């Protein structure tokens, strides 16, 4: 009694089956026994919910998008218009309820990650936030249906994203290792670094942003000369390039500064840039430290160099 149960699945299809079909039947069957019908809710990562602040803010496209096919840009514009219309009728803001769906590139224009989020207290539409509503509903429910990735984040990231719970039921457990590995995996590419440099270049001195861009180009040149596959040790050239990326990202973060009083649009742009810099700096640090343990069997990370398709 009074215990929250988390049910974790690998697929959206099973989550929907549980919430739409199985759990309503279970709640009905248990009502005579418990004296009330157990409540249940579904909870996904923040990126799965429409962000009203970003939806109604200024367009947040990368300058490199100008190189895209004009048809692709107009198609994205039409999709975003449809998202505006959907936002007026949806009760959940859940991407999976948008039919037909939209491409990932379009959805990124109207959603934020946990790192990019301003937070309900600072967001001008925080009271209407779909992600916060879902989290609040989960906090009141007896049974919370979530996915393996969110379960892993809750366990590994040091920040609780699920309600306090005493029981976890892992469905589709054969997928658990891959999903947890996906959450634990970090990626660093020259493209990511270049995009972050362009984004932060709108907010800090251009010389500081150019330093990050040049570090990304240097890393790309180094990696082009290295064979793809698992690294057993850290190549000297890669260590130098990664150190340059780490330091340049750190300089950008310093120039960007901490939180300040500013309009929500500026705060949102700053938060997104900060999140991108954090990802780059943290991954560079992690790569540089991956081989500190001389015994390969005791290392926490495995490093791979893969060619991008």
């Amino acid at each position: 009694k009074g215990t929250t149960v988390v049910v974790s699945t690998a697929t959206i299809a099973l989550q929907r089956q549980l919430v739409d079909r199985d759990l309503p039947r279970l709640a009905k069957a248990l009502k005579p026994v418990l004296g009330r019908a157990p409540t249940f809710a579904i909870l996904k990562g923040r990126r799965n919910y429409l962000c009203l602040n970003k939806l109604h803010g200024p367009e947040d496209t990368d300058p490199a998008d100008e190189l895209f096919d004009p048809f692709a840009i107009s198609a994205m514009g039409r999709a975003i218009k449809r998202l505006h219309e959907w936002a007026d009728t949806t009760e959940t803001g859940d991407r999976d309820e948008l039919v037909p769906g939209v491409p990932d590139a379009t959805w990124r224009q109207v959603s934020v990650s946990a790192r990019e989020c301003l937070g309900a207290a600072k967001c001008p539409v925080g009271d209407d936030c779909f992600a916060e509503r879902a989290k609040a509903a989960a906090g009141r429910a007896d049974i919370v249906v979530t996915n393996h990735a969110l379960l892993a984040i809750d366990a590994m990231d040091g920040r609780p994203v699920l309600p306090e719970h005493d029981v976890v039921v892992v469905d589709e457990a054969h997928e658990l290792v891959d999903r947890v590995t996906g959450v634990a995996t970090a990626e660093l590419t020259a493209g990511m670094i270049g995009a972050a440099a362009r984004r932060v270049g709108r907010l800090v001195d251009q010389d500081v942003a150019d330093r990050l861009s040049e570090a990304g180009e240097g890393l790309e040149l180094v990696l082009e000369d290295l064979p793809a596959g698992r690294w057993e040790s850290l190549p000297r050239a890669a260590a130098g390039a990664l150190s340059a990326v780490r330091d340049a990202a750190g300089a950008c973060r310093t120039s960007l500064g901490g939180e300040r009083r500013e309009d929500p649009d500026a705060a949102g742009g700053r938060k997104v840039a900060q999140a991108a810099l954090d990802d780059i700096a943290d991954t560079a640090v992690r790569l540089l430290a991956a081989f500190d343990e001389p015994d390969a069997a005791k290392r926490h990370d495995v490093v791979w160099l893969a060619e991008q398709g």
Side-chain angles (χ1 to χ4, degrees):
K1 188 176 180 180
T3 297
T4 299
V5 175
V6 170
V7 180
S8 178
T9 77
T11 61
I12 292 171
L14 184 53
Q15 289 176 30
R16 293 254 59 101
Q17 177 186 317
L18 288 169
V19 172
D20 295 340
R21 192 178 70 183
D22 298 341
L23 287 174
R25 292 177 179 176
L26 178 65
K28 184 178 180 180
L30 289 176
K31 185 175 181 179
V33 179
L34 300 178
R36 68 177 181 86
T39 57
F40 50 88
I42 188 168
L43 184 62
K44 305 176 182 180
R46 190 170 291 271
R47 181 65 88 177
N48 292 278
Y49 298 98
L50 185 71
C51 173
L52 292 172
N53 184 53
K54 196 165 184 181
L55 180 73
H56 297 297
E59 290 189 16
D60 183 31
T61 54
D62 192 301
D65 290 345
E66 296 171 3
L67 304 177
F68 288 174
D69 185 338
F71 177 78
I73 295 175
S74 63
M76 179 181 288
R78 289 193 297 272
I80 290 177
K81 181 181 178 182
R82 186 159 68 87
L83 285 168
H84 275 270
E85 294 169 351
W86 176 65
D88 292 332
T89 60
T90 178
E91 294 291 329
T92 66
D94 186 334
R95 180 182 182 180
D96 295 322
E97 294 184 7
L98 177 64
V99 179
V102 295
D104 289 345
T106 301
W107 186 255
R108 283 196 295 271
Q109 302 300 316
V110 296
S111 65
V112 294
S113 66
R115 278 189 170 186
E116 295 167 345
C117 178
L118 290 174
K122 296 179 181 178
C123 181
V125 287
D127 291 340
D128 298 318
C129 176
F130 291 119
E132 291 295 328
R133 284 186 190 177
K135 187 174 181 180
R140 297 188 297 267
D142 298 307
I143 303 170
V144 178
V145 178
T146 189
N147 56 61
H148 293 345
L150 211 58
L151 183 68
I153 291 171
D154 187 75
M156 296 166 52
D157 258 21
R159 52 186 175 90
V161 293
L162 296 174
E164 288 190 20
H165 53 277
D166 300 305
V167 178
V168 176
V169 178
V170 179
D171 207 342
E172 298 181 305
H174 61 285
E175 298 273 6
L176 183 62
V177 172
D178 286 345
R179 301 304 170 95
V180 172
T181 300
V183 169
T185 299
E187 182 182 36
L188 186 64
T189 69
M192 289 170 54
I193 298 169
R198 289 190 295 273
R199 185 178 295 281
V200 78
R202 309 170 199 171
L203 303 168
V204 304
D205 187 86
Q206 191 60 49
D207 289 344
V208 179
D210 286 345
R211 180 181 168 191
L212 179 60
S213 179
E214 290 164 4
E217 292 169 1
L219 178 64
E220 184 175 29
L221 290 172
V222 167
L223 296 182
E224 285 176 352
D225 291 334
L226 295 172
R230 179 173 175 172
W231 286 2
E232 301 299 337
S233 60
L234 183 62
R236 180 174 296 180
L242 288 168
S243 296
V245 169
R246 175 200 62 200
D247 294 345
C252 285
R253 287 197 292 190
T254 300
S255 292
L256 196 60
E259 295 185 0
R260 60 189 69 177
R261 289 188 176 183
E262 55 192 343
D263 66 85
D265 292 341
R270 184 174 298 277
K271 192 76 172 181
V272 171
Q274 182 73 57
L277 292 171
D278 287 345
D279 284 341
I280 289 168
D282 292 350
T283 303
V285 168
R286 187 172 168 186
L287 287 165
L288 287 165
F291 302 96
D292 287 351
E293 169 58 59
D295 185 349
K298 296 180 180 178
R299 292 173 185 164
H300 295 292
D301 285 318
V302 174
V303 180
W304 283 84
L305 175 61
E307 296 180 5
Q308 289 184 293

